[in-house]
Amino acid sequence: MQKVEAGFSELLSKQPVTEQDKEEYIRELRCAVQTLLQEVRNLDEIVALLRKKQFGSSSEATPAQEEDPLGLFPEAEQEYCEEAPEPFKKDRRGVHRMNEAGKWKLTNASDTEDRVYDLDEEERACPRCGGRVECIGKELVREVFEYVPAKLKLVRYWQMSYRCPACRKNGRSVIVRASVPKPLLNHSMVSASVVAEVMYQKYGNAMPLYRQETAWKQLGVSFSRTTMANWIIRCAEDHLEPLWEAMHEELLRREVVHADETVVQVLKENGRTAQSKSYMWVYRTGQDRQPPIILYEYQPGRSGEYPKRFLEGFRGYLHTDGYAGYNQVPWITRCGCWAHVRRKFVEAMPTVTGNPLGLPTPAQIGRDYCDQLFAAEKKIAELPAAERQKRRLAVEKPMLRAFWCWLEEMERQPLAGGLKKAVQYARKQQPWLENYLLDARCQISNNLAENAIRPFTVGRKNWLFSDTVKGARASAVVYSLVETAEANGLSARDYLHIVLSNLPSMDFRRDPEQLKLLMPWSDYIRGDRFFLSRAWFLWALTRHLPRGLFALYGI
């Protein structure tokens, strides 16, 4: 604009003004108008995108009426939602209720209460003749589930001692004491169940400690948020970090890993301001038919050195988004994410209204190409690995060739705004977007890592920040155990309780093999701890589990 104003001043200063000067000035005006109009379009697109993110639906699903506007993709599948099942059902064995893993479990007799409604003595008279009535049976009217609020109780640990009378007669004093489980934290009255509940509420249900402080008061105790934070940090450092390290070693032995990162704010960190951006990284295993592992790691930055250090020794396929920092991880085959490519085209669509003929816009066409790839993947998801790989190469590779050809054609056209960004992003990620075809265990997107980091982002909206680096690292450790347990179909609350009850009595630092017993996929965790096979019981007794651990469970 300043250039146009300067040209106008220069034009007025010339005497006389020639026709050539006028034409040159008109050309400059047209260029300025085109530039300003393009800036206005870009700003309108940004405002529309921000409005959509702030007030619109967060779903990126394709509307049904737009899935196949030209009939080019006859195999497109419609998304649908089935009716949610009832939380309980009845059969001849009794009432079944659905657990967290979506499986039906028969209600125990100890969880059942019978309420019998009987007639009073004065009511046991015949309304016709006045004679006394006799009982002929009872009828079940209905069955309902009732909520029983939690409560706290004080548990006293008594240690029995025994003395040998025969040795005492000989002048020797021999005393034998029963083994007692070690405390969770020295010089503290807190138990594993209380700390497990605090951890589960914060990291499983995204309830900040100040809200828990109020909830505990309803149970008659006053746990300050500072005290609960100390419990979390100390238990994470003393007991849970070794288990996290063991899971880390197991993750590095896998062949498919997904990674992602998100921002976290830490207020008190040496050499950094409270407004500095720190990052929570997440790494999880792929769908390789083995138990899933989800690990979080706190780091003060987003440098590619952090995933390089975490994944040292990993050899396999690494699924990521478009962040270039993952290129620093050596000896891996990086796989791109088609969900991010699709998102770029979706973001380019808010202000696009199509053309008068009703034909799809370029952004819609790019999105439709991605939809077809996802639809093809959905069809072969349940096939065996060899057949799935064969179908991928036969069906999806031609789709990819058509998409790259379309991108080349789009690059030869004048592009601007979100569509230009989407095309450039897809072209830049091309070297990694086809690598999922190399192995049937690879995924077309990085949605596994995106879904794994979502619980952290939900919790971050409630507790907002971490006060110290120790707190951020403890959060990473506890989040790892909670999400890994739930990914393996376990109750995160029960798993934390078992782990915190066992680890203080286990000598895992001298014998790290003991930690394998507490992995979420171990037989000890998944099976019935009270009805172990005799061979496994004796092996665990002599090899790993201290006597105090068996006393804890009354074995």
Side-chain angles (χ1 to χ4, degrees):
M1 197 64 186
Q2 294 177 354
K3 183 179 179 182
V4 174
E5 293 176 354
F8 181 68
S9 300
E10 183 180 356
L11 180 64
L12 294 178
S13 64
K14 284 186 177 182
Q15 295 294 337
V17 179
T18 64
E19 292 294 330
Q20 184 178 358
D21 294 335
K22 293 180 179 179
E23 292 178 0
E24 180 66 25
Y25 181 63
I26 291 173
R27 282 196 296 269
E28 291 179 358
L29 284 177
R30 287 175 177 172
C31 291
V33 169
Q34 292 296 328
T35 301
L36 292 175
L37 288 176
Q38 187 59 53
E39 289 182 2
V40 170
R41 294 191 191 99
N42 292 341
L43 291 174
D44 287 342
E45 188 172 340
I46 292 173
V47 171
L49 180 59
L50 292 176
R51 284 178 175 174
K52 179 181 177 183
K53 289 184 176 181
Q54 183 70 21
F55 305 108
S57 173
S58 60
S59 174
E60 297 177 0
T62 304
Q65 65 270 20
E66 295 182 4
E67 283 202 352
D68 194 13
L70 294 180
L72 299 176
F73 308 107
E75 296 180 354
E77 296 183 3
Q78 303 285 339
E79 292 290 336
Y80 68 94
C81 296
E82 297 181 355
E83 294 183 359
E86 290 292 329
F88 58 89
K89 65 179 183 180
K90 294 176 60 176
D91 59 19
R92 57 182 179 82
R93 294 181 297 169
V95 178
H96 299 253
R97 55 186 177 184
M98 186 175 291
N99 60 16
E100 294 181 359
K103 298 180 180 179
W104 293 105
K105 180 180 179 181
L106 184 64
T107 302
N108 296 328
S110 58
D111 296 335
T112 303
E113 176 186 349
D114 291 326
R115 297 179 182 177
V116 180
Y117 293 84
D118 203 351
L119 296 175
D120 296 333
E121 286 294 334
E122 58 273 12
E123 296 176 334
R124 297 179 183 180
C126 177
R128 184 176 180 181
C129 65
R132 186 172 181 81
V133 296
E134 61 180 9
C135 180
I136 59 174
K138 60 182 179 180
E139 178 186 2
L140 179 62
V141 179
R142 65 176 180 271
E143 294 175 320
V144 297
F145 282 105
E146 286 194 357
Y147 172 70
V148 180
K151 64 178 181 180
L152 284 174
K153 64 179 179 180
L154 179 65
V155 178
R156 298 187 177 96
Y157 285 73
W158 295 87
Q159 185 180 36
M160 301 300 295
S161 301
Y162 295 86
R163 181 178 61 189
C164 178
C167 292
R168 186 186 181 190
K169 291 180 180 179
N170 297 329
R172 292 176 296 181
S173 178
V174 178
I175 298 177
V176 181
R177 293 184 174 88
S179 60
V180 179
K182 292 183 179 180
L184 178 65
L185 298 174
N186 293 328
H187 313 294
S188 175
M189 293 182 65
V190 69
S191 66
S193 60
V194 172
V195 177
E197 183 66 20
V198 171
M199 288 181 173
Y200 175 73
Q201 291 299 336
K202 179 174 182 179
Y203 302 107
N205 292 339
M207 182 183 291
L209 295 182
Y210 74 89
R211 294 184 188 172
Q212 293 193 47
E213 191 176 6
T214 303
W216 285 107
K217 287 182 180 179
Q218 303 297 322
L219 297 179
V221 293
S222 180
F223 293 156
S224 69
R225 66 195 73 176
T226 303
T227 300
M228 290 186 284
N230 291 338
W231 291 343
I232 294 174
I233 294 174
R234 288 181 59 188
C235 288
E237 292 178 344
D238 297 344
H239 305 306
L240 302 183
E241 279 191 8
L243 189 59
W244 183 94
E245 292 289 349
M247 291 183 179
H248 183 199
E249 295 177 1
E250 177 64 24
L251 180 139
L252 295 179
R253 286 193 284 266
R254 301 293 182 85
E255 297 183 12
V256 180
V257 170
H258 295 249
D260 197 10
E261 76 287 337
T262 189
V263 176
V264 62
Q265 186 178 4
V266 179
L267 300 184
K268 301 173 184 176
E269 190 167 9
N270 292 334
R272 308 186 72 195
T273 64
Q275 293 76 24
S276 300
K277 285 185 178 181
S278 300
Y279 285 84
M280 187 67 74
W281 298 72
V282 65
Y283 306 87
R284 68 150 298 158
T285 55
Q287 294 181 343
D288 52 3
R289 309 287 183 178
Q290 298 186 60
I293 303 174
I294 302 175
L295 296 182
Y296 295 78
E297 185 189 38
Y298 166 77
Q299 291 294 352
R302 203 189 180 197
S303 169
E305 289 295 323
Y306 299 125
K308 178 182 178 181
R309 191 183 310 156
F310 183 90
L311 295 172
E312 184 177 357
F314 172 70
R315 303 290 187 270
Y317 299 94
L318 179 62
H319 287 266
T320 68
D321 54 19
Y323 176 49
Y326 292 106
N327 292 332
Q328 298 186 31
V329 183
W331 311 111
I332 57 99
T333 300
R334 185 179 169 190
C335 299
C337 177
W338 280 93
H340 282 77
V341 175
R342 182 184 184 278
R343 187 172 302 144
K344 297 295 183 182
F345 286 106
V346 172
E347 291 176 352
M349 293 167 48
T351 59
V352 178
T353 58
N355 52 57
L357 298 179
L359 298 176
T361 63
Q364 290 173 325
I365 293 176
R367 181 204 60 189
D368 290 341
Y369 272 112
C370 299
D371 285 347
Q372 300 316 302
L373 288 172
F374 280 97
E377 279 290 307
K378 186 177 181 180
K379 288 182 178 180
I380 64 175
E382 302 299 328
L383 296 178
E387 181 65 21
R388 184 165 65 250
Q389 181 71 358
K390 182 179 177 181
R391 293 284 297 275
R392 267 183 178 175
L393 296 176
V395 176
E396 298 178 32
K397 206 163 186 179
M399 293 182 181
L400 293 171
R401 286 198 297 266
F403 178 72
W404 301 130
C405 291
W406 176 78
L407 274 187
E408 292 178 1
E409 181 182 350
M410 293 301 300
E411 287 179 322
R412 291 192 288 266
Q413 301 177 12
L415 302 176
L419 180 60
K420 181 178 180 180
K421 294 178 182 179
V423 172
Q424 291 177 345
Y425 180 85
R427 179 61 72 186
K428 186 177 180 180
Q429 296 296 313
Q430 184 176 353
W432 305 288
L433 285 173
E434 289 193 14
N435 285 342
Y436 78 96
L437 297 175
L438 300 177
D439 195 296
R441 295 169 297 180
C442 294
Q443 302 295 307
I444 193 174
S445 70
N446 195 35
N447 285 345
L448 287 178
E450 296 273 335
N451 294 333
I453 210 167
R454 185 170 291 115
F456 175 81
T457 59
V458 172
R460 185 181 57 194
K461 292 180 180 179
N462 293 283
W463 45 258
L464 300 179
F465 53 81
S466 293
D467 189 54
T468 63
V469 174
K470 284 187 175 181
R473 291 175 177 169
S475 296
V477 171
V478 181
Y479 264 120
S480 300
L481 269 63
V482 168
E483 296 303 319
T484 301
E486 292 186 349
N488 283 272
L490 302 178
S491 166
R493 177 193 282 112
D494 295 342
Y495 179 68
L496 288 173
H497 185 195
I498 295 171
V499 167
L500 292 174
S501 299
N502 289 358
L503 283 173
S505 299
M506 297 175 69
D507 192 9
F508 55 83
R509 302 190 185 277
R510 187 173 61 181
D511 185 9
E513 290 293 318
Q514 296 183 18
L515 294 173
K516 293 183 178 180
L517 295 172
L518 298 180
M519 294 296 184
W521 52 85
S522 70
D523 294 336
Y524 175 70
I525 294 296
R526 302 194 68 85
D528 191 340
R529 302 190 308 278
F530 300 96
F531 298 97
L532 305 173
S533 65
R534 180 177 178 82
W536 192 94
F537 181 89
L538 293 176
W539 172 82
L541 177 65
T542 57
R543 171 71 175 165
H544 291 295
L545 301 183
R547 291 176 59 191
L549 180 59
F550 289 93
L552 176 66
Y553 292 114
I555 297 179

PDB file of all heavy atoms in Angstrom, residues 34 48 91 99 135 172 174 201 257 317 334 347 363 405 407 457 489 494 518:
ATOM      1  N   GLN A  34      -5.339  -6.840  -5.955  1.00  0.00           N
ATOM      2  CA  GLN A  34      -5.306  -8.308  -5.894  1.00  0.00           C
ATOM      3  C   GLN A  34      -4.634  -8.787  -4.617  1.00  0.00           C
ATOM      4  O   GLN A  34      -5.091  -9.745  -3.972  1.00  0.00           O
ATOM      5  CB  GLN A  34      -4.575  -8.852  -7.135  1.00  0.00           C
ATOM      6  CG  GLN A  34      -5.316  -8.653  -8.442  1.00  0.00           C
ATOM      7  CD  GLN A  34      -6.629  -9.412  -8.468  1.00  0.00           C
ATOM      8  OE1 GLN A  34      -6.772 -10.478  -7.867  1.00  0.00           O
ATOM      9  NE2 GLN A  34      -7.614  -8.848  -9.177  1.00  0.00           N
ATOM     10  N   ALA A  48     -12.652 -17.846  10.139  1.00  0.00           N
ATOM     11  CA  ALA A  48     -13.635 -18.934  10.062  1.00  0.00           C
ATOM     12  C   ALA A  48     -13.103 -20.190  10.730  1.00  0.00           C
ATOM     13  O   ALA A  48     -13.841 -20.901  11.429  1.00  0.00           O
ATOM     14  CB  ALA A  48     -13.981 -19.214   8.602  1.00  0.00           C
ATOM     15  N   ASP A  91     -30.189 -63.778  33.605  1.00  0.00           N
ATOM     16  CA  ASP A  91     -30.443 -65.092  33.055  1.00  0.00           C
ATOM     17  C   ASP A  91     -30.717 -66.037  34.223  1.00  0.00           C
ATOM     18  O   ASP A  91     -30.892 -65.592  35.361  1.00  0.00           O
ATOM     19  CB  ASP A  91     -29.280 -65.564  32.164  1.00  0.00           C
ATOM     20  CG  ASP A  91     -27.951 -65.634  32.911  1.00  0.00           C
ATOM     21  OD1 ASP A  91     -27.976 -65.669  34.163  1.00  0.00           O
ATOM     22  OD2 ASP A  91     -26.897 -65.670  32.259  1.00  0.00           O
ATOM     23  N   ASN A  99     -18.340 -55.032  33.243  1.00  0.00           N
ATOM     24  CA  ASN A  99     -17.183 -54.429  33.888  1.00  0.00           C
ATOM     25  C   ASN A  99     -16.529 -53.410  32.967  1.00  0.00           C
ATOM     26  O   ASN A  99     -17.015 -53.108  31.882  1.00  0.00           O
ATOM     27  CB  ASN A  99     -16.184 -55.507  34.315  1.00  0.00           C
ATOM     28  CG  ASN A  99     -15.678 -56.336  33.125  1.00  0.00           C
ATOM     29  OD1 ASN A  99     -15.832 -55.935  31.969  1.00  0.00           O
ATOM     30  ND2 ASN A  99     -15.076 -57.465  33.412  1.00  0.00           N
ATOM     31  N   CYS A 135     -48.485 -67.700  55.781  1.00  0.00           N
ATOM     32  CA  CYS A 135     -47.531 -67.375  54.707  1.00  0.00           C
ATOM     33  C   CYS A 135     -47.498 -68.511  53.692  1.00  0.00           C
ATOM     34  O   CYS A 135     -47.386 -69.693  54.052  1.00  0.00           O
ATOM     35  CB  CYS A 135     -46.149 -67.143  55.289  1.00  0.00           C
ATOM     36  SG  CYS A 135     -44.890 -66.732  54.059  1.00  0.00           S
ATOM     37  N   ARG A 172      19.055 -69.540  76.894  1.00  0.00           N
ATOM     38  CA  ARG A 172      19.059 -68.785  75.633  1.00  0.00           C
ATOM     39  C   ARG A 172      17.657 -68.275  75.348  1.00  0.00           C
ATOM     40  O   ARG A 172      16.679 -68.956  75.619  1.00  0.00           O
ATOM     41  CB  ARG A 172      19.543 -69.662  74.483  1.00  0.00           C
ATOM     42  CG  ARG A 172      21.030 -70.030  74.584  1.00  0.00           C
ATOM     43  CD  ARG A 172      21.429 -70.973  73.471  1.00  0.00           C
ATOM     44  NE  ARG A 172      20.730 -72.254  73.576  1.00  0.00           N
ATOM     45  CZ  ARG A 172      20.899 -73.269  72.741  1.00  0.00           C
ATOM     46  NH1 ARG A 172      21.752 -73.150  71.730  1.00  0.00           N
ATOM     47  NH2 ARG A 172      20.229 -74.395  72.911  1.00  0.00           N
ATOM     48  N   VAL A 174      15.192 -67.219  72.457  1.00  0.00           N
ATOM     49  CA  VAL A 174      14.891 -67.283  71.031  1.00  0.00           C
ATOM     50  C   VAL A 174      13.462 -66.785  70.828  1.00  0.00           C
ATOM     51  O   VAL A 174      12.521 -67.358  71.380  1.00  0.00           O
ATOM     52  CB  VAL A 174      15.045 -68.701  70.471  1.00  0.00           C
ATOM     53  CG1 VAL A 174      14.676 -68.736  68.987  1.00  0.00           C
ATOM     54  CG2 VAL A 174      16.468 -69.199  70.675  1.00  0.00           C
ATOM     55  N   GLN A 201      -7.990 -40.658  40.972  1.00  0.00           N
ATOM     56  CA  GLN A 201      -8.892 -39.522  40.785  1.00  0.00           C
ATOM     57  C   GLN A 201      -8.228 -38.412  39.975  1.00  0.00           C
ATOM     58  O   GLN A 201      -8.872 -37.786  39.132  1.00  0.00           O
ATOM     59  CB  GLN A 201      -9.349 -38.976  42.146  1.00  0.00           C
ATOM     60  CG  GLN A 201     -10.274 -39.898  42.909  1.00  0.00           C
ATOM     61  CD  GLN A 201     -11.565 -40.189  42.164  1.00  0.00           C
ATOM     62  OE1 GLN A 201     -12.003 -39.432  41.318  1.00  0.00           O
ATOM     63  NE2 GLN A 201     -12.184 -41.321  42.485  1.00  0.00           N
ATOM     64  N   VAL A 257       6.157 -48.615  17.114  1.00  0.00           N
ATOM     65  CA  VAL A 257       5.937 -47.650  18.196  1.00  0.00           C
ATOM     66  C   VAL A 257       5.294 -46.398  17.612  1.00  0.00           C
ATOM     67  O   VAL A 257       5.643 -45.964  16.506  1.00  0.00           O
ATOM     68  CB  VAL A 257       7.263 -47.287  18.901  1.00  0.00           C
ATOM     69  CG1 VAL A 257       7.071 -46.113  19.859  1.00  0.00           C
ATOM     70  CG2 VAL A 257       7.805 -48.489  19.661  1.00  0.00           C
ATOM     71  N   TYR A 317       9.523 -49.608  13.271  1.00  0.00           N
ATOM     72  CA  TYR A 317       8.713 -48.583  12.618  1.00  0.00           C
ATOM     73  C   TYR A 317       8.235 -47.583  13.668  1.00  0.00           C
ATOM     74  O   TYR A 317       7.684 -47.978  14.702  1.00  0.00           O
ATOM     75  CB  TYR A 317       7.515 -49.209  11.908  1.00  0.00           C
ATOM     76  CG  TYR A 317       7.906 -50.178  10.817  1.00  0.00           C
ATOM     77  CD1 TYR A 317       8.010 -51.552  11.068  1.00  0.00           C
ATOM     78  CD2 TYR A 317       8.175 -49.731   9.530  1.00  0.00           C
ATOM     79  CE1 TYR A 317       8.358 -52.443  10.068  1.00  0.00           C
ATOM     80  CE2 TYR A 317       8.533 -50.613   8.517  1.00  0.00           C
ATOM     81  CZ  TYR A 317       8.633 -51.960   8.797  1.00  0.00           C
ATOM     82  OH  TYR A 317       8.998 -52.836   7.811  1.00  0.00           O
ATOM     83  N   ARG A 334      10.462 -44.347   9.629  1.00  0.00           N
ATOM     84  CA  ARG A 334       9.423 -43.429  10.071  1.00  0.00           C
ATOM     85  C   ARG A 334       8.189 -43.553   9.180  1.00  0.00           C
ATOM     86  O   ARG A 334       8.302 -43.585   7.953  1.00  0.00           O
ATOM     87  CB  ARG A 334       9.939 -41.993  10.038  1.00  0.00           C
ATOM     88  CG  ARG A 334       8.951 -40.979  10.590  1.00  0.00           C
ATOM     89  CD  ARG A 334       9.523 -39.581  10.559  1.00  0.00           C
ATOM     90  NE  ARG A 334       8.497 -38.590  10.841  1.00  0.00           N
ATOM     91  CZ  ARG A 334       8.663 -37.290  10.694  1.00  0.00           C
ATOM     92  NH1 ARG A 334       9.819 -36.820  10.240  1.00  0.00           N
ATOM     93  NH2 ARG A 334       7.675 -36.454  10.969  1.00  0.00           N
ATOM     94  N   GLU A 347      -9.342 -28.379   7.286  1.00  0.00           N
ATOM     95  CA  GLU A 347      -9.182 -27.006   7.763  1.00  0.00           C
ATOM     96  C   GLU A 347      -9.227 -25.997   6.626  1.00  0.00           C
ATOM     97  O   GLU A 347      -9.469 -24.813   6.864  1.00  0.00           O
ATOM     98  CB  GLU A 347      -7.866 -26.873   8.523  1.00  0.00           C
ATOM     99  CG  GLU A 347      -7.850 -27.609   9.850  1.00  0.00           C
ATOM    100  CD  GLU A 347      -6.503 -27.533  10.539  1.00  0.00           C
ATOM    101  OE1 GLU A 347      -5.539 -27.030   9.889  1.00  0.00           O
ATOM    102  OE2 GLU A 347      -6.395 -27.977  11.692  1.00  0.00           O
ATOM    103  N   ALA A 363     -10.224 -28.734  -1.895  1.00  0.00           N
ATOM    104  CA  ALA A 363     -10.036 -29.201  -0.519  1.00  0.00           C
ATOM    105  C   ALA A 363     -10.909 -30.423  -0.235  1.00  0.00           C
ATOM    106  O   ALA A 363     -10.479 -31.372   0.438  1.00  0.00           O
ATOM    107  CB  ALA A 363     -10.360 -28.079   0.462  1.00  0.00           C
ATOM    108  N   CYS A 405      -0.578 -37.906  -8.171  1.00  0.00           N
ATOM    109  CA  CYS A 405      -0.789 -37.262  -9.477  1.00  0.00           C
ATOM    110  C   CYS A 405      -1.693 -36.039  -9.340  1.00  0.00           C
ATOM    111  O   CYS A 405      -1.456 -34.997  -9.974  1.00  0.00           O
ATOM    112  CB  CYS A 405      -1.381 -38.253 -10.472  1.00  0.00           C
ATOM    113  SG  CYS A 405      -0.243 -39.579 -10.971  1.00  0.00           S
ATOM    114  N   LEU A 407      -1.975 -34.216  -6.665  1.00  0.00           N
ATOM    115  CA  LEU A 407      -1.192 -33.178  -6.000  1.00  0.00           C
ATOM    116  C   LEU A 407      -0.290 -32.440  -6.983  1.00  0.00           C
ATOM    117  O   LEU A 407      -0.141 -31.212  -6.923  1.00  0.00           O
ATOM    118  CB  LEU A 407      -0.331 -33.783  -4.887  1.00  0.00           C
ATOM    119  CG  LEU A 407      -0.959 -33.956  -3.497  1.00  0.00           C
ATOM    120  CD1 LEU A 407       0.095 -34.409  -2.516  1.00  0.00           C
ATOM    121  CD2 LEU A 407      -1.622 -32.690  -3.014  1.00  0.00           C
ATOM    122  N   THR A 457      -4.247 -34.314  28.070  1.00  0.00           N
ATOM    123  CA  THR A 457      -4.753 -32.999  27.694  1.00  0.00           C
ATOM    124  C   THR A 457      -6.066 -32.674  28.407  1.00  0.00           C
ATOM    125  O   THR A 457      -6.326 -31.516  28.746  1.00  0.00           O
ATOM    126  CB  THR A 457      -4.934 -32.905  26.170  1.00  0.00           C
ATOM    127  OG1 THR A 457      -5.855 -33.919  25.735  1.00  0.00           O
ATOM    128  CG2 THR A 457      -3.605 -33.118  25.457  1.00  0.00           C
ATOM    129  N   GLY A 489      -7.152 -53.672  29.706  1.00  0.00           N
ATOM    130  CA  GLY A 489      -8.434 -54.140  30.215  1.00  0.00           C
ATOM    131  C   GLY A 489      -8.524 -54.263  31.718  1.00  0.00           C
ATOM    132  O   GLY A 489      -9.393 -54.976  32.226  1.00  0.00           O
ATOM    133  N   ASP A 494      -7.638 -50.457  40.845  1.00  0.00           N
ATOM    134  CA  ASP A 494      -7.208 -51.711  41.456  1.00  0.00           C
ATOM    135  C   ASP A 494      -5.747 -52.018  41.141  1.00  0.00           C
ATOM    136  O   ASP A 494      -5.009 -52.527  41.992  1.00  0.00           O
ATOM    137  CB  ASP A 494      -8.095 -52.858  40.973  1.00  0.00           C
ATOM    138  CG  ASP A 494      -9.539 -52.708  41.439  1.00  0.00           C
ATOM    139  OD1 ASP A 494      -9.762 -51.938  42.397  1.00  0.00           O
ATOM    140  OD2 ASP A 494     -10.427 -53.326  40.840  1.00  0.00           O
ATOM    141  N   LEU A 518       4.495 -57.741  38.249  1.00  0.00           N
ATOM    142  CA  LEU A 518       3.538 -56.646  38.403  1.00  0.00           C
ATOM    143  C   LEU A 518       3.210 -55.959  37.092  1.00  0.00           C
ATOM    144  O   LEU A 518       2.550 -54.916  37.100  1.00  0.00           O
ATOM    145  CB  LEU A 518       4.094 -55.617  39.400  1.00  0.00           C
ATOM    146  CG  LEU A 518       4.317 -56.136  40.822  1.00  0.00           C
ATOM    147  CD1 LEU A 518       4.855 -55.032  41.706  1.00  0.00           C
ATOM    148  CD2 LEU A 518       3.033 -56.708  41.407  1.00  0.00           C
TER     149      LEU A 518
END
